[in-house]
Amino acid sequence: MILRGIQGEMRQSYAFVARNFNLVKRYWGWEVVWMAYSIADSLAVTFIGAGVGEITGQTQIDTNFMITYLLIGTLVWRFLSSIFHNISEMIAWERWEGTIEYTFMAPVRRFNQMIGQTFFAILYSLIFTVILGVTVATFFDLDLSDADLLSALILLLVGSLSFVGIGMVASILPLLYPERGAQMTNIVQAFFLLVSGIYYPVTVLPEWLQVLSKISPATYVLEGMRAALLPETAKSDPLTYVVPLLIMGLVMLPLGIHLFQRAERYTKRTGKLKRNG
Amino acid sequence: MMEASSTHQQPALIVNDVVKRFNVASIPWWKRLRPDHQNGHSSDDQAANGSGSSLKAKRGKEIITAVDHVSFTVQPREIFGVLGPNGSGKSTLIRLLSTLLIPDEGTVTVFGLDVVKHEMQVKRLINRVSVEASFFKKLSAQENLLYGARLYGLSGKVADQKARDILKRLGLRENSYTEPMEEMSRGMQQKVAITRAFLTEPTVLLLDEPNTGLDPRSKMEVQTFVRELRDVHNATILITTHDMYEADTICDRVAIMHDGKIVAMDTPAALKQQVKRNGHEPTLEDVFMTLTGEALIEKEADAADLEPEKV
Ligand SMILES: Nc1ncnc2c1ncn2[C@@H]1O[C@H](COP(=O)(O)OP(=O)(O)OP(=O)(O)O)[C@@H](O)[C@H]1O
Ligand SMILES: [Mg+2]
């Protein structure tokens, strides 16, 4: 009886995983375009590192270090923003397709839904980022022999939990604002890009922005990743960054679900769920 | 018709004095400041113009009472029809029953479970077919249906077999099953929508104009299916339709809604009796015309002494 119950709940989570992979398969054209765009974008950023010597006229600059520094930034950013996108757009997407009432009517706990969405988002984003990273890396001659890849992976996975939570909070926007909500989530993303030290150390930011960078989980993922992959400059052991990330994840996930459920109730009171019919 | 066991059974649905209001697009404040809108502005806290008692202006917001103090009870295994003109509140009523809207006043219970307090249990008992098919357009019928069925805890394998059987009976070509939904006609999509609901064998099935866009044969097949769900699976069915003939043939009882209120409720035969006039044998369409038309005239008559709030 209990076992059957658990099986049923797992099927619910799996429903979202299977559905999302089916959507990827059916919209494969978009995936190709998005991959091409991401490759071009990541290359453009990484070539800045290759050109720093020439730009500044200084010959002492460790170009390889700069390239790796920027490459870590662009790949981690692609990964985290992909997680964020996948979660935050789930509502906007279902509104667009018109399936939202059917998903909300089904006897599914938002927790189970989130498990499924998270599993998909992490798996999809990992595959995407690996393809992207391998492709971009072929353009450069990189030496990662000292890199601590295991710590890097752990940091990435723990860091993604907070972004699932943040994504859930952001997905409320399209729930509350059927027309503009989806664009508003882009502002949230731009904010993280600015304060998290993706392409520069956060210390170059004005002080009031540095305060904000302390509450962005991406800051810790990036510092940890750089400690793991560029060990010669590491200030501390990469795994020390796991602790703040775990704490943020443990706060953001339940908070995300809680706020989402409140927003869901609000839409059911005000009739904002449906658009037509 | 009722079995002995059903005497101590509780009703399938109890809708008790339910009200649902919506705020609709307000006149923006900068427009209300313009002199030509002063009239609209000053009608605050008064019953609005002749367009109906359900419209009230309040700080530029218009409030529509989509469902207005509605009460009824549906017994297990009953097929209950809800008829009414466009905008009379039928779909809103169905959304209230399917936990997609929370009532402003009153209560709705499904087999004794309150739709707000016991939301999850109620969700397990119900399913709904709506006018618009609502699918992931690029996904196939199969992918859409398995997604839907898994949300209700069904295994993909079981759901797949059931879906094929139901769609075959509804006359959907086998090869359409794996094609993207956007390549299907309106009626074909509706058949998949009906399958999505039937798959989960709901105890209470809510059908909101399920036959929109279906050809006559498919319509009959859906009706047969609905009866079968009742007869074999003991399902209770609430259906809205604009097809009076359909309502007459499959419904045990019918409620007629107008302007958010139920204006009549009885068996189709009794309703027809009610409007019977000099010899001519009335149809359910006559009932509809008379009841929703008369209500309109009555309302205009007492629009003059209309009070904004009724306690
Ligand atoms: N989510 C919503 N937000 C605002 N107004 C709504 C909402 N849903 C319904 N309404 C309004 O409530 C009233 C009743 O609508 P409803 O869809 O229930 O009618 P209906 O009887 O199903 O009509 P039809 O026969 O055309 O399907 C309409 O005036 C409609 O504009
Ligand atoms: Mg309707």
Side-chain angles (χ1 to χ4, degrees):
Chain A
M1 212 26 216
I2 293 170
L3 219 66
R4 271 180 69 101
I6 292 173
Q7 197 181 25
E9 310 243 333
M10 277 170 60
R11 275 191 193 126
Q12 295 182 334
S13 297
Y14 177 67
F16 292 95
V17 180
R19 178 201 80 185
N20 290 354
F21 273 114
N22 283 329
L23 285 170
V24 168
K25 188 181 77 189
R26 298 276 181 180
Y27 284 95
W28 64 270
W30 286 16
E31 299 296 331
V32 172
V33 169
W34 183 236
M35 180 60 88
Y37 169 83
S38 302
I39 290 173
D41 184 77
S42 292
L43 276 175
V45 167
T46 316
F47 274 122
I48 297 174
V52 164
E54 215 168 310
I55 295 167
T56 58
Q58 294 167 356
T59 45
Q60 262 84 296
I61 289 172
D62 183 352
T63 310
N64 241 335
F65 181 87
M66 273 307 289
I67 289 173
T68 315
Y69 186 93
L70 289 173
L71 188 60
I72 292 169
T74 181
L75 292 182
V76 169
W77 177 241
R78 281 277 159 240
F79 176 80
L80 291 180
S81 58
S82 166
I83 300 261
F84 175 80
H85 249 277
N86 267 297
I87 304 288
S88 67
E89 284 196 339
M90 66 189 183
I91 296 301
W93 187 283
E94 289 218 37
R95 259 200 201 280
W96 181 65
E97 296 269 21
T99 53
I100 192 160
E101 284 195 328
Y102 286 88
T103 300
F104 274 32
M105 205 176 71
V108 181
R109 267 185 260 279
R110 292 299 155 247
F111 179 75
N112 290 354
Q113 178 171 0
M114 198 203 57
I115 297 273
Q117 294 279 10
T118 304
F119 185 81
F120 168 80
I122 291 181
L123 197 59
Y124 169 88
S125 304
L126 267 182
I127 294 171
F128 187 90
T129 312
V130 166
I131 296 174
L132 175 67
V134 168
T135 313
V136 174
T138 56
F139 283 75
F140 305 97
D141 187 21
L142 296 175
D143 175 23
L144 287 175
S145 52
D146 291 338
D148 179 0
L149 292 173
L150 182 66
S151 298
L153 185 69
I154 292 172
L155 278 163
L156 219 46
L157 293 182
V158 177
S160 37
L161 295 184
S162 314
F163 269 81
V164 171
I166 297 167
M168 282 211 79
V169 177
S171 73
I172 293 171
L173 294 170
L175 200 59
L176 301 185
Y177 308 99
E179 273 82 35
R180 288 147 305 177
Q183 287 96 304
M184 285 155 84
T185 60
N186 287 330
I187 299 174
V188 178
Q189 200 178 328
F191 160 80
F192 282 108
L193 175 63
L194 176 67
V195 303
S196 307
I198 312 283
Y199 301 123
Y200 40 79
V202 291
T203 45
V204 303
L205 292 171
E207 248 164 62
W208 61 276
L209 274 179
Q210 285 191 41
V211 176
L212 295 176
S213 68
K214 289 216 172 56
I215 56 168
S216 161
T219 310
Y220 301 93
V221 179
L222 279 149
E223 284 189 16
M225 289 292 279
R226 289 193 171 119
L229 301 178
L230 290 168
E232 60 269 36
T233 58
K235 283 182 242 140
S236 43
D237 186 77
L239 290 180
T240 53
Y241 296 96
V242 169
V243 179
L245 285 173
L246 261 183
I247 294 172
M248 285 186 174
L250 286 178
V251 173
M252 286 315 295
L253 281 180
L255 186 69
I257 293 185
H258 174 74
L259 291 177
F260 188 90
Q261 282 170 334
R262 287 192 53 168
E264 182 179 339
R265 254 186 110 76
Y266 172 80
T267 59
K268 287 179 177 179
R269 266 206 330 269
T270 51
K272 287 213 160 97
L273 209 53
K274 80 142 205 177
R275 272 177 86 181
N276 47 24
Chain B
M1 206 181 104
M2 289 279 165
E3 294 142 329
S5 68
S6 66
T7 48
H8 55 261
Q9 234 173 353
Q10 55 188 333
L13 297 173
I14 304 177
V15 174
N16 185 20
D17 207 20
V18 164
V19 176
K20 187 69 211 170
R21 300 186 187 92
F22 294 112
N23 281 342
V24 289
S26 52
I27 309 161
W29 61 270
W30 63 86
K31 278 198 183 167
R32 276 186 282 135
L33 290 178
R34 288 213 324 246
D36 52 324
H37 268 96
Q38 283 301 310
N39 289 344
H41 188 57
S42 64
S43 74
D44 274 15
D45 304 321
Q46 284 179 27
N49 44 40
S51 61
S53 64
S54 53
L55 294 178
K56 279 167 231 157
K58 201 178 194 178
R59 286 204 200 87
K61 287 257 184 206
E62 288 214 21
I63 298 174
I64 289 184
T65 309
V67 172
D68 195 358
H69 295 282
V70 164
S71 301
F72 61 88
T73 301
V74 180
Q75 296 303 327
R77 302 182 83 247
E78 197 173 357
I79 300 180
F80 186 81
V82 179
L83 311 180
N86 297 129
S88 56
K90 305 180 296 296
S91 299
T92 305
L93 182 63
I94 286 200
R95 286 194 171 89
L96 286 162
L97 289 164
S98 41
T99 75
L100 291 168
L101 285 173
I102 297 173
D104 295 328
E105 288 172 33
T107 54
V108 179
T109 54
V110 178
F111 284 99
L113 299 162
D114 187 277
V115 290
V116 181
K117 289 193 203 97
H118 307 284
E119 186 184 339
M120 202 53 83
Q121 283 113 301
V122 170
K123 281 174 167 175
R124 289 198 191 99
L125 297 177
I126 57 167
N127 212 328
R128 155 177 171 260
V129 178
S130 58
V131 208
E132 74 278 21
S134 315
F135 288 106
F136 291 94
K137 293 174 269 296
K138 293 263 185 212
L139 298 193
S140 66
Q142 183 183 37
E143 287 160 345
N144 271 296
L145 289 173
L146 293 201
Y147 165 63
R150 283 184 183 124
L151 293 183
Y152 287 78
L154 266 71
S155 83
K157 211 172 131 199
V158 171
D160 187 58
Q161 193 49 54
K162 265 173 122 177
R164 284 173 192 273
D165 292 346
I166 297 171
L167 281 170
K168 198 166 170 187
R169 280 191 56 183
L170 295 179
L172 192 85
R173 273 180 293 111
E174 181 91 35
N175 54 355
S176 300
Y177 185 55
T178 48
E179 276 171 21
M181 293 290 293
E182 64 185 357
E183 285 166 27
M184 290 187 188
S185 74
R186 173 83 183 72
M188 287 157 82
Q189 291 187 19
Q190 193 61 16
K191 289 177 183 176
V192 182
I194 288 164
T195 307
R196 171 171 56 192
F198 286 6
L199 261 182
T200 66
E201 285 176 21
T203 313
V204 175
L205 181 60
L206 306 165
L207 301 170
D208 195 352
E209 298 176 42
N211 289 340
T212 313
L214 294 193
D215 60 63
R217 188 185 310 281
S218 308
K219 228 179 222 184
M220 292 241 307
E221 193 57 55
V222 170
Q223 288 170 11
T224 312
F225 232 118
V226 167
R227 284 204 195 90
E228 193 179 299
L229 275 179
R230 188 262 304 273
D231 297 339
V232 181
H233 300 287
N234 291 319
T236 306
I237 289 123
L238 187 141
I239 180 170
T240 80
T241 177
H242 289 300
D243 181 340
M244 296 300 129
Y245 177 75
E246 175 177 74
D248 201 353
T249 47
I250 69 166
C251 295
D252 299 321
R253 263 187 324 142
V254 164
I256 297 184
M257 278 186 91
H258 186 65
D259 244 1
K261 298 183 192 70
I262 290 185
V263 291
M265 180 161 55
D266 216 323
T267 60
L271 284 174
K272 283 186 276 190
Q273 208 57 38
Q274 214 175 306
V275 298
K276 195 165 181 174
R277 267 164 211 164
N278 44 27
H280 159 71
E281 203 52 52
T283 62
L284 205 55
E285 194 161 294
D286 296 326
V287 175
F288 182 95
M289 294 300 183
T290 313
L291 290 175
T292 59
E294 261 173 13
L296 201 68
I297 295 158
E298 265 169 33
K299 206 181 63 196
E300 271 166 13
D302 55 37
D305 50 79
L306 198 72
E307 280 302 310
E309 288 299 337
K310 190 184 89 181
V311 186

